[in-house]
Amino acid sequence: MSKKPVLLVIAHGSRDPRHAATVHALVRRVRALRPDVRVETGFLDFNIPSVQGVLESLAAQGVRDVVALPLLLTRAFHAKADIPAVLRDAPPQLRIRQAEVLGSSPLLMAALERRLYEAGLTPADKPSTGVVLASAGSTDPEAIAVIAEIAREWRLTGWCAVRPAFASASLPRTEDAVRELRELGCERVAVAPYVLAPGFLPDRIARGAAEADVLADVLGAAPEVARVLLERYEAARVPVLAAVGA
């Protein structure tokens, strides 16, 4: 039986040390869930090891099959341009398949609710609570549309209202969405950051949540996020193995 492809988690990277620490915590959770899969981490920028460095190391060790998984919530520039460009420069002996990004997924919606409940809400609060789904933002219309659709779907689970907001590149900002929910008459307003790790833009979301009643933590190493990673890995690895006759 052939070995399973290596799972290479590709994170953006950040000057903020909390970012890499959170990525590594998430990867540890993934490893704990699937000890039969080798899981490596590479960063596009700011942190080490770099994606290119990990790929070269894997090739030198005789690895042949890799699933490259973008640690991203939407298919914006990094997933469409940056990561494919890095993978094209990989050692030629590697067979690499790029997995889909994480969002959207019912598991991620469950993780968002987990973070809100950890911040003090209860399921009984849902009908009277408006939620701001606050993402990093993007100039990519596809990414913005995904966030808006998640907000619409989440509203149907019983919240008073759900509004998308963006920390950069798009409008509205978090603080504007908080005020809109107040004006709608929601008894309380909560901000749910739809981001994976702390950093500059999540900090901007937190500042925009100053007038909210509840601010949830980032998704981070939530167990639901780890499960989504493994779902994306499994979906991508089957074509890899089929291509090599495994």
Side-chain angles (χ1 to χ4, degrees):
M1 185 181 221
S2 297
K3 290 183 179 178
K4 295 180 178 65
V6 171
L7 168 55
L8 173 58
V9 177
I10 300 179
H12 181 270
S14 171
R15 293 186 178 91
D16 189 321
R18 297 173 298 168
H19 174 89
T22 302
V23 170
H24 289 309
L26 175 59
V27 168
R28 285 194 297 272
R29 189 179 285 275
V30 172
R31 289 185 180 127
L33 288 172
R34 287 294 301 275
D36 59 316
V37 175
R38 179 175 175 181
V39 186
E40 299 291 342
T41 309
F43 294 90
L44 290 173
D45 208 352
F46 302 116
N47 303 106
I48 55 174
S50 68
V51 176
Q52 187 66 28
V54 174
L55 292 171
E56 290 172 358
S57 176
L58 291 173
Q61 295 169 41
V63 171
R64 291 297 174 262
D65 296 307
V66 177
V67 169
L69 195 157
L71 194 59
L72 301 167
L73 293 170
T74 58
R75 286 191 74 254
F77 183 77
H78 295 304
K80 294 178 178 179
D82 284 351
I83 292 175
V86 172
L87 298 181
R88 280 195 296 271
D89 290 336
Q93 62 266 47
L94 291 176
R95 293 179 288 247
I96 304 174
R97 183 171 181 86
Q98 182 176 329
E100 290 296 325
V101 298
L102 303 188
S104 59
S105 164
L107 283 169
L108 294 180
M109 208 173 290
L112 287 166
E113 294 209 0
R114 168 194 289 274
R115 292 303 188 221
L116 285 171
Y117 297 151
E118 290 170 350
L121 292 180
T122 70
D125 295 325
K126 291 181 77 168
S128 57
T129 302
V131 179
V132 178
L133 180 69
S135 77
S138 174
T139 57
D140 189 306
E142 179 185 348
I144 297 304
V146 167
I147 301 300
E149 179 60 26
I150 292 170
R152 284 192 292 269
E153 291 180 5
W154 204 15
R155 163 69 181 85
L156 298 177
T157 67
W159 296 101
C160 172
V162 180
R163 293 290 185 272
F166 307 94
S168 68
S170 310
L171 295 174
R173 295 286 181 257
T174 301
E175 53 268 36
D176 298 326
V178 169
R179 293 189 192 106
E180 180 187 351
L181 290 171
R182 291 269 188 231
E183 291 168 2
L184 279 176
C186 296
E187 187 176 311
R188 68 184 65 76
V189 176
V191 174
Y194 191 58
V195 292
L196 287 165
F200 176 75
L201 293 178
D203 284 349
R204 181 180 288 177
I205 289 171
R207 289 193 297 273
E211 295 180 12
D213 302 292
V214 173
L215 170 63
D217 199 359
V218 298
L219 293 170
E224 296 89 350
V225 180
R227 287 167 59 196
V228 176
L229 262 73
L230 289 170
E231 284 186 354
R232 300 294 182 262
Y233 168 77
E234 289 296 336
R237 86 178 183 95
V238 173
V240 168
L241 295 177
V244 299

